[in-house]
Amino acid sequence: MIQRLLAMALLASVQILLAFVLYHSAFEAYRRMFGSVRRDISYGLQLNHSLYIFGALALGNAAWLLSCRSRRSGLIGFGICLLFWTAFWANAFASMPYRSLLVVGVGTLVLTMPLLVLLLRFRGPGLVDDVRPGSAA
C-alpha cells in the first residue's frame, strides 16, 4: 500500500516537473527566436492557477493509471484528465492561441507519459519474452 502511494506521488511529481521544464524551455526558445511576447495579466494569473490544477490532474492521472485493471480504464482516466486540462484553457485560445496551444500541448504530452506505464503493465502474452528461432528458451 505504501509503495503504491509512493509510486503515485513520484509519478505525479515527475509529470509536474516535466511539464514545468518543457513549458519554460519552449517559451524561452520562442522568446529567443521571435523576440518578446505580449504580457497579459489575465493569462499570467491563469497560468499560475493552472499549476495547481495540473498538479491535481497529474496526481489523479497517476493514481488512476497505477490502480486501473485494464487498458480501457486507463485510457478513460487519461481522457478525463485531458478533457479537464483542455477545458481549463479553452477561454485563452481566442486571445492567445499559440501560447494556449503550447500549454495544452505540453500538458497533453506530459499526461500521456504514464500511459507508457500502462502499456508496460498490460502486455500481450506474445510480447513477454523475445524468443528467437534457434535460441534456447
Side-chain angles (χ1 to χ4, degrees), residues 17-73:
L17 183 63
L18 185 62
F20 183 78
V21 168
L22 283 176
Y23 174 78
H24 283 289
S25 299
F27 183 78
E28 186 64 26
Y30 178 86
R31 194 181 66 74
R32 287 185 185 256
M33 289 188 326
F34 301 110
S36 65
V37 295
R38 187 178 104 197
R39 302 240 184 241
D40 189 350
I41 194 161
S42 64
Y43 186 84
L45 288 173
Q46 187 166 352
L47 189 62
N48 284 339
H49 293 156
S50 74
L51 294 175
Y52 301 117
I53 291 174
F54 188 78
L57 289 175
L59 185 60
N61 190 33
W64 192 315
L65 288 174
L66 289 178
S67 62
C68 69
R69 302 249 185 242
S70 69
R71 238 184 243 186
R72 184 179 303 163
S73 174

Side-chain angles (χ1 to χ4, degrees), residues 2 5 18 20 28 36 47 52 57 76 79-80 94-95 101 104 110 117 126 136-137:
I2 298 290
L5 290 175
L18 185 62
F20 183 78
E28 186 64 26
S36 65
L47 189 62
Y52 301 117
L57 289 175
I76 290 170
I80 290 170
S95 62
L101 186 64
V104 171
V110 172
V117 173

Side-chain angles (χ1 to χ4, degrees), residues 75-130:
L75 288 173
I76 290 170
F78 162 73
I80 290 170
C81 290
L82 186 61
L83 180 69
F84 280 132
W85 182 243
T86 306
F88 178 76
W89 284 101
N91 68 328
F93 276 102
S95 62
M96 297 183 153
Y98 295 126
R99 286 181 73 183
S100 300
L101 186 64
L102 172 67
V103 174
V104 171
V106 165
T108 301
L109 181 69
V110 172
L111 287 172
T112 57
M113 184 188 69
L115 284 176
L116 297 175
V117 173
L118 181 69
L119 292 174
L120 291 175
R121 279 185 64 202
F122 297 110
R123 282 193 267 181
L127 300 174
V128 175
D129 294 322
D130 185 20

